[in-house]
Amino acid sequence: MSSIGQILNTAKEALLAHQVAIGVTGTNVANVSTPGYSRQRAVIEAKGTMESIENDVQIGVEVTQVQRLFDQFIEARINDQSSLLSYSETRQDALSQIEAIFNESQQDGLSSVMDRFWKAWDDLSFNPTGEVERFAVVSAAENLATTLREYSNQLTDVQDSMNSRLSDNITQLNSYLADIADTTGKIIQVQSGGGNTNDLMDKRSELLKKVSETLNIQYMQRSDGSLDIFMSNGKALVQGDRYWALEAVQNTATGFYDVAFEEDNTEILNDAIAGGRLGACLDVRDTDATDYLGQLNTLAAAIADEVNAQHIEGFDRNGNVGGLFFDDVTEAKNMAVSSAILADLSLIAASATVNGDGDNAQAMSGLRDALTMRGDTIPFSSYLNSLIGQIGEDVAAANRSYGQRNAVMNTLIGQKEQVSGVSIDEEMVNLVRFQMGYSAAGKMITASQEMIDTLLGLVD
Amino acid sequence: MVMRLTENLKFNSTTNNIYLSQSKYAELMEQISTQKRINKPSDDPVGTRAVLDYRKTQASVEQYRRNVDASKGWLNMTETKLANIRDLLVQMRETAITQATATATAETRATAAETVDLLTQEIYTLANSQYNGRYLFAGSKTETEPFSTTARTSTSIGTAEAASGNTFDGTIAAGGTYTGTVNKTYVVKVTTGGALGTAVCDISADGGRTWGVTGQTIPAGGTITLGDGVTLTFTDSGTNRLAADDIFYADALTTGYFNGDGEEISVNVGEGVSFAYNLSGEDIFTNGGSGTTDIFRTLHGLKAALQNNELAGIQSALDGLEEASNSVNLHVSKAGSKQNRLEVTDSNLVDLDYQVTQLRSNTEDADVAKVITEFSQRETALKAAYQIAATIGNISILSFMR
C-alpha cells in the first residue's frame, strides 16, 4: 500500500525524468547538423521498491544516465579509411596538376616542340647556308630548351607546394594533438567526478578523425577515458594528457622538409608515414614527381648529348668543327642553346664536309627516329610518350583509388549515422512520447490532490 | 532490422548523387565539345601513348613529304637542264656532221665554230645552274661554280685554308703534285694539340665526312702527306700552337674544267631512309670517277677543229659528242627514275598518313552519336537528382504534427 505522499513523489520523479528526456530530445534536434555529434538518449529506469504486505511496489523513476550512442568499431574503421581517403584525395589533386603540365593535346606540348626542332634541321639541310633556316633552327632549339625548362620548373613547383603543404599540415596536426591531450585531461577529470563526458568525447572523436586524415595512426582508448595515439612505428603522439609535437625539419641535401619529433629532430620519421595528407605530400614530392623529373632530366640530357655529338661531327659555315650546340646539361632545368651559337648563327654545323653540303643537318634530323633512349632501344619521342602514358596511368589509378575509398567511406559514414545520427522523425516521436508521459505525470499530481481533497472532505 | 534514416544520411547521399551525376555530365560535355574521347592522359593512358606515337608519325610523314617535294623540285630542275643540254648537243652534232662532209669549207667551218661557241656557252650556263642558290651539278660543293670555261692543263692544288676558329696562328702551305683522278677536298683535323713534332691529326680526303688517316703525328719539320702527292706544311709562329679541333683544308683538282666533286647530298624521306637527290657533274660531264666522257673538252675540241679547219678533229669530236649525248641521256633518265622513286615514296607516305590518321581517329575521337545518347541519359539522371534534392526536406513527421 502506498501513501498519497508516495504517489506525489513518484509523480514528481516522473515529471522530472520526462523533462530530462525532453531536454535530451531537444539537444538532439538542436545538433541535427552538428558534425561529429552523436545522438544521446536519456536512460530512464524504475527506481526502488517499497515493501508492502502483499508484494513490493514500484515507487519511482529516474534518469540514470544520458547515454551517447556510439560504435567505436565503426569509428575505428572510419578513422582508418580517413587516412586512406585523404591520402588519395591529396595525391589525386597533385597528380592532376602534374598531368596538366604534360597535357600534350595543346599545340606547344613538348612533343610538338621536339618535332619542330627536327623539322628545322631538315629545312636547313636543303639550304645549309640560309640565314633564315639557321635562325629557324636556333629558334626551334630555344623553344625546345625553354619548354623543357618550363616543364621542369612546373614539376618543381608541384614538389614545392607539396613541401609547404607538408609543413602546414604538421603545424595543424600539432594543434590537433594538443587539443586531444587537453580534452583527454578534461575527460579524465570529469569522468572521475562521475560527470557527463559525452560532448568532450564527441569533440575528441572529431579531432581524432582529423589526425587520421593527416597521417596514418594507431590508437587505443583506455578505461580511465584517455586515448593513446601512436604512429605506425609505435612512437607515441598522445598519451593521456601529454602529446609530442612533430616538426618539419629542413633537409640540407634535398632542400625539402623531413618529418621529425620536435623533442628530437634528428630522427627522421618520413618512412613511418604512409597515409593521410602527410603521406601523400611525401609520396608525391619524393616518389612521383621525383620520378617524372628524373625521366625529364634523362630526356633533356640525352637530347643535349646526342645533338652535341652529332653537331661536333659536322662543320660550320666557316669550316670549323662544330662545337656544343646545347649546353652540356644533366638536368632539364638547365637546358639551353649554347651562348656561342646564339651569338653567331654561322657556328651551326650544318654540313658533313667543309664544302657546305648540309648533310650534317640531315643526320641531325635523323636523330628524330634514332634509337637513343633506354639502352638505344627507343627514340626520344617514345621515351617522352611513355612518360606521359605513365603519368596518365598514375593519375587514372589515383582517381580510381579515390573513387573506391570514397565509396567505402560513404558506406561507413552511413553505418555510423545509423547508430549515432539524429533522425528528426524519431526525435519527434520521442517528443510526443515524453510529452505524453509528462502530461500523465501531471495528471497524477492532480489526481493526488483530488485524493487529498476527498480525504480532507471526509474529515469535515 | 529497420534502417534508421537520419537527416545527415539523407542530405549526404543526395549531394553525393548530384556530384556523381555532375562530374560524369561534365566529362561527357567535354567529349562533345572537343569531339575527342581522350582529353587528358588519364582518360586513357594506353590510348594516349598510342595517340602521341601516331601524332609523331604524322609529323614525321609531313616532314618527309616536304623533303620529297623539295627533292622533286631539285630533280625536276636537274632533268630540265639536262634535257636542254641534250637538245643543244643534238644541234651541235648536226653542225659537226655538216662540217665533217667534204663540201664544208674553211669559211663554213669558221662560221660553225661561232655557232658551236655560242652553244657551248649555253651549255656552260645550264651546267652551272642553281636551284635555291645552290649549284645543281657541283656535288657537295654546292657553293662553288662547278665548270670553268678554261681548262686546267695540269692538276692543281688549291690554297690551303685555315678555318676561322683555329687557335693556330702560324702559316700553312699546300704543296706537291696532285696525282688523283677526281677532285677532292683534303681536310686536316688536329686531334691533339701542341708543337710541331708532338701534335697529332686526322686526315680526310672527302671534305671531312670520313677520316681515312687517323692519329698522324705532325713531324717537327711540319710537312705531312695528305694523299695522292698532296702535302701540307705547317710553320709554327711559336706563340699559338696547334690545338685540338683546328681545321685546315685544301682542294685538289684534276685537269679539266670541273671544280665540284662527286659527292652525294641527301635528305631523309623515311625513318632511317636517306635519299641522295643530286646528280654530280663529275659523273655527267667528266671522265673522272664514274663519269665516262669529258664533254667540255669535246666541245672545246670541236670548236678548235672547226676554227683550224681540221676534218680529223671534227670527226673525233663527233665520237665525243655521241658519248656526251649518251652520258647526258643516261642522266636524264636517272633523274627521271629518281623522281619515280620519290613518287613511290610519296604515295607510300600518303598511304601511311591515311592509315595513321584512321588509327589515331579510332583511338582518340569520340563516337559522337554514342556520347550524345549517353549525355541525354546523364542529363535525365542529373535532373532526377536535383528533383530529389528539392523534395527531400518536404516530407517528415513535422508536416503531420500540430
Side-chain angles (χ1 to χ4, degrees), chain B residues 79-309:
Chain B
E79 193 180 356
T80 312
K81 299 294 178 191
L82 287 179
N84 289 345
I85 292 174
R86 179 185 58 194
D87 295 347
L88 292 174
L89 285 174
V90 169
Q91 275 189 44
M92 232 184 249
R93 190 143 185 271
E94 282 163 3
T95 311
I97 287 171
T98 320
Q99 300 308 325
T101 55
T103 52
T105 62
E107 285 72 32
T108 59
R109 283 179 179 153
T111 319
E114 299 285 315
T115 316
V116 165
D117 189 41
L118 281 174
L119 293 175
T120 306
Q121 294 313 317
E122 261 184 76
I123 291 178
Y124 265 117
T125 312
L126 290 167
N128 284 333
S129 312
Q130 288 180 315
Y131 182 73
N132 273 348
R134 306 172 79 197
Y135 288 102
L136 282 172
F137 300 109
S140 75
K141 295 167 82 170
T142 55
E143 292 171 76
T144 310
E145 193 174 63
F147 296 99
S148 41
T149 45
T150 51
R152 282 181 300 276
T153 50
S154 58
T155 61
S156 109
I157 295 169
T159 317
E161 306 262 5
S164 60
N166 288 356
T167 308
F168 183 74
D169 66 352
T171 55
I172 44 162
T177 306
Y178 183 50
T179 57
T181 53
V182 291
N183 292 350
K184 284 181 184 170
T185 304
Y186 285 101
V187 178
V188 173
K189 178 165 83 171
V190 179
T191 52
T192 311
L196 299 179
T198 57
V200 180
C201 65
D202 291 349
I203 300 169
S204 166
D206 57 6
R209 201 181 289 266
T210 57
W211 302 93
V213 178
T214 54
Q216 165 86 52
T217 306
I218 301 172
T223 301
I224 53 171
T225 303
L226 302 181
D228 289 331
V230 182
T231 61
L232 190 67
T233 306
F234 295 88
T235 312
D236 201 333
S237 72
T239 48
N240 293 323
R241 298 178 188 280
L242 288 166
D245 283 347
D246 277 0
I247 294 284
F248 306 94
Y249 50 96
D251 284 333
L253 302 173
T254 57
T255 55
Y257 305 87
F258 187 54
N259 306 313
D261 64 23
E263 301 279 333
E264 288 182 332
I265 44 180
S266 26
V267 71
N268 293 318
V269 293
E271 208 175 303
V273 183
S274 165
F275 178 83
Y277 56 89
N278 72 322
L279 295 176
S280 168
E282 182 179 276
D283 295 345
I284 310 169
F285 298 101
T286 78
N287 56 5
S290 47
T292 49
T293 175
D294 190 341
I295 293 179
F296 287 106
R297 201 178 58 167
T298 304
L299 300 186
H300 283 285
L302 175 60
K303 185 184 152 197
L306 288 169
Q307 278 171 340
N308 300 338
N309 196 14

Side-chain angles (χ1 to χ4, degrees), chain A residues 260-305:
Chain A
F261 278 112
E262 224 169 54
E263 278 189 347
D264 170 21
N265 64 16
T266 52
E267 192 190 345
I268 304 305
L269 302 167
N270 291 7
D271 292 343
I273 300 170
R277 280 193 292 273
L278 290 184
C281 287
L282 287 170
D283 277 1
V284 170
R285 188 192 73 185
D286 298 340
T287 310
D288 298 319
T290 303
D291 176 26
Y292 306 150
L293 196 56
Q295 294 192 44
L296 193 67
N297 287 341
T298 308
L299 179 67
I303 291 177
D305 275 358

Side-chain angles (χ1 to χ4, degrees), chain A residues 46 170 199 213 242 246 287 316 336 365 395 424 427 430 435:
Chain A
I170 287 175
D199 288 350
E213 282 169 4
R242 294 185 58 201
L246 294 180
T287 310
D316 69 16
S365 91
V395 174
I424 295 285
E427 298 304 325
N430 282 341
Q435 223 178 344

Side-chain angles (χ1 to χ4, degrees), chain A residues 219-260:
Chain A
Y219 66 93
M220 70 176 87
Q221 219 151 350
R222 296 190 190 278
S223 53
D224 66 347
S226 62
L227 175 75
D228 295 348
I229 306 178
F230 306 96
M231 290 179 68
S232 68
N233 62 357
K235 303 256 177 186
L237 289 167
V238 178
Q239 255 178 341
D241 58 358
R242 294 185 58 201
Y243 76 99
W244 288 266
L246 294 180
E247 191 188 349
V249 190
Q250 186 123 31
N251 182 327
T252 46
T254 60
F256 290 136
Y257 290 122
D258 283 334
V259 184

